[in-house]
Amino acid sequence: MPPAIYSIPFDKPFLDTLVTGLMRRAHRDPLALARMTVLLPTRRAARSLREAFLRASNGEALLLPKMIPVGDLDPEELAFRSDESDAAGAGFDLPPAVPPLRRQLLLTQLVQAFGRSGEALPLGQAAPLAASLARFLDEVQTENRDFADLAALVPAQYAQHWQDILVFLSIITEHWPKMLGDLGCLDPSAWRNRMLAAQIAAWRNEAPAGPIIAAGLTGGIPAVGDLMECVAHLPHGAVVLPGLDVFADGAAWEEVRKDPAHPQHLMSRFLDRLELDPAAVKPWVGRFVPSARGRLVGEALAPAELSHRWRFVGLIERGSLKGLRRIDCPGPQEEAVTIALLLRERLEMPGATAALVTPDRDLARRVAAELKRWNIDIDDSAGVPLDKTPPGVFLRLVLDLAAQRLAPLPLLAALKHPLAAAGLAPGGFRDSVRRLEVEILRGPRPEPGIEGLRKLLPERAGELRALVARLETALGPLLVALDAPQIALPALLSAHIAACEALAASAEEAGAARLWREPAGEAGALFLNELLQAAANFPTLSGAEYPALFEALLSGPMVRPPYGRHPRLFIWGLLEARLQHADLIVLGSLNEGVWPAASPGDPWLSRPMREAFGLPPPERRIGVAALDFALALGAQEVVMTRAARVEGTPTVPSRWLLRLETLLRAAGLEGALARDVAPLHWQAAIDAPPGPARPLAPPE
């Protein structure tokens, strides 16, 4: 039986079109949908599919299909959770996946013990190295490579540097498997691979009775590709690819197969596995109709070897640019304000939706802050790093304050944080801190510690003496712990948490209530709780090493917003934007090095070694970003923005913008892409004073 492979054109809303096809296949049977299973890339895509069903049913109740997010391309999003999987319910007996924090601490121990000349590496170096090793471990296991093949990659003619790296990698080739065996756990990537393999074996042994639809996956990860191949051959299975270019000719597909930076590359590899020609892929709904926008995007993102054909291109229509705009802003702040105005304008249209799609987290935070002008709380679905949230910053500031023995700058930075109150009313506490700064800290630098502050206090400064006494009570145990030559990590953590809670307490609320509230506080409390459990068997360390270790661990977790944000405006990262749809899509930070991101260097293997070992080239990430860009260009209205300068340095437009410009110039449409300057005028005017500035009198 030939595989059932379908596609939804990139210029149609993927999830809404998917729902249309599913409801047609249900034949108005109210129970037919409930018998279906839909495999999707992410949990956000699953939530958005539920909303698409709600739109399609006009709000009527439906029994929805079972939706399982199997993930694609990003190992952190991949999971068949035991409570979501038929496999787990069928009694699949797999060891659990080791928790990420525990794995990082265990790898940190192994890295630290690897120090040269018998000396342990400092924890500040060992923890980041352990995080890098964990990423390498995940990548190798994701691609189903065997670590035993590493030894053949370092022949004698290579520099001694590579020989040393091979010895260092024995941490994960020899020591780590033994440690995992003692724990009775699996690495997360290995656990996912085995879970998917078990699910594939179960379906091949006994095909499920209900339809199975794999939608929006591209097969970038071998285990997910195996699952898609299995689904395509099931009696009631179907694979729905996103935005497959079925109109590309044979020469184009030959180049696509060789170019990992092309947006269609991963899907071409999957079709090759099935020995299926792209022309044999069927439309999910209706029929494939060539579109002017599709022709434009297909030519603009054509493989480099075929770009010479642009000289003869003659089918690019001016109508393909309808709804496309480009805005070049002077800098990042101007770009953020301009995007915020574009999103705010969309709210004037009843029912209209708008989304910013960008990999630039700094731009996302700026836009979210600018929208506060209109009391708009926007959903930034990619999240914020925990160490950038108010509780995370407070944890870091308090630790820095104690580690630097109450030096003036870290002392004031921590005490002026909005969460700091030390058991007083926040307003009164802030007044006392300002007085401490003016009267004590704007002179000779105090001696380290509490006593250094106390020596500079005037005899009658009762208010300041009371403040210093409160600081001593709150910080005393943490200062002692950081001075210890050897101390258990849980004891350090407990002293750190206690100091933060004591400093966060106000006259009316306990510190824990103020510090661990709202999503960021809850995420911080969950992180510290997991860290306390993971640190139970960590060897003792000196208190002076703790700050660097804590900084390295805190930089990992992300805080994602809860429900209840604005229902019509969104900020999406590239992973979250996949398969999503909005009436207006703003593509932000279209600069080279941001979108697409610069290819990260591999600290462990050179490019020839990666190729020989079977790992994907760095360009594959560019291909994934290119697919996200192409899918976003299918929206009805698209605004592409970039900053001409960042921190005073000129930027280079994204390669896709340059390709689009070159294609239009070759087609005789130079200048046809609208350069919208009106939002830039709005941005310049929004903060302008209402009238002419009144000159001030000269100082006396």
Side-chain angles (χ1 to χ4, degrees), residues 104-383:
Q104 187 169 353
L105 284 178
L106 291 172
L107 285 172
T108 299
Q109 291 177 237
L110 293 176
V111 172
Q112 191 181 25
F114 189 80
R116 295 178 179 274
S117 305
E119 296 182 4
L121 284 175
L123 277 175
Q125 297 178 23
L129 272 175
S132 180
L133 276 179
R135 289 191 293 271
F136 181 63
L137 194 64
D138 285 336
E139 184 180 20
V140 171
Q141 292 176 342
T142 293
E143 297 296 326
N144 287 322
R145 300 291 95 192
D146 188 351
F147 281 112
D149 297 335
L150 278 177
L153 299 180
V154 192
Q157 64 264 30
Y158 283 169
Q160 181 63 35
H161 165 67
W162 293 111
Q163 302 286 348
D164 295 340
I165 284 183
L166 184 62
V167 175
F168 184 81
L169 289 178
S170 65
I171 291 173
I172 56 175
T173 58
E174 299 177 17
H175 304 292
W176 177 241
K178 296 176 184 176
M179 188 172 283
L180 268 185
D182 294 339
L183 292 173
C185 293
L186 294 173
D187 279 304
S189 299
W191 182 87
R192 176 207 58 220
N193 289 350
R194 289 177 59 175
M195 177 64 78
L196 292 180
Q199 183 67 75
I200 292 168
W203 279 345
R204 285 177 176 167
N205 182 53
E206 181 179 355
I212 307 289
I213 293 92
L217 303 170
T218 59
I221 291 175
V224 177
D226 294 340
L227 183 71
M228 293 167 63
E229 183 179 359
C230 172
V231 169
H233 287 97
L234 291 175
H236 304 292
V239 173
V240 186
L241 298 175
L244 184 71
D245 187 1
V246 296
F247 297 107
D249 57 30
W253 275 106
E254 282 301 319
E255 295 300 333
V256 165
R257 291 184 178 95
K258 296 184 290 185
D259 184 5
H262 194 275
Q264 303 282 320
H265 176 73
L266 288 178
M267 289 186 284
S268 73
R269 289 182 53 191
F270 174 67
L271 293 178
D272 288 344
R273 289 180 58 169
L274 301 177
E275 299 180 351
L276 194 67
D277 190 83
V281 174
K282 295 171 284 189
W284 178 246
V285 172
R287 61 190 182 89
F288 291 124
V289 179
S291 67
R293 184 74 66 83
R295 166 75 169 165
L296 173 71
V297 175
E299 286 292 345
L301 301 182
E305 287 75 8
L306 299 181
S307 59
H308 66 276
R309 302 197 306 193
W310 290 351
R311 293 179 297 171
F312 313 108
V313 70
L315 299 178
I316 301 300
E317 303 172 11
R318 188 175 292 270
S320 65
L321 299 173
K322 183 181 179 181
L324 282 182
R325 289 183 285 164
R326 174 176 169 179
I327 303 176
D328 286 30
C329 305
Q333 181 58 25
E334 291 85 354
E335 184 181 11
V337 177
T338 300
I339 293 172
L341 286 164
L342 289 169
L343 299 181
R344 174 63 184 85
E345 181 194 24
R346 192 58 41 160
L347 295 183
E348 299 300 314
M349 306 175 188
T353 57
L356 165 64
V357 179
T358 180
D360 187 348
R361 293 295 87 213
D362 181 61
L363 176 66
R365 287 192 288 271
R366 287 175 186 260
V367 172
E370 291 297 331
L371 285 170
K372 298 285 187 181
R373 296 172 183 263
W374 303 284
N375 296 319
I376 294 174
D377 196 8
I378 195 169
D379 178 5
D380 182 2
S381 63

Side-chain angles (χ1 to χ4, degrees), residues 82 85-97 184 186 191 194-195 198-199:
S82 60
S85 169
D86 290 333
F92 282 20
D93 187 16
L94 287 180
L186 294 173
W191 182 87
R194 289 177 59 175
M195 177 64 78
Q199 183 67 75

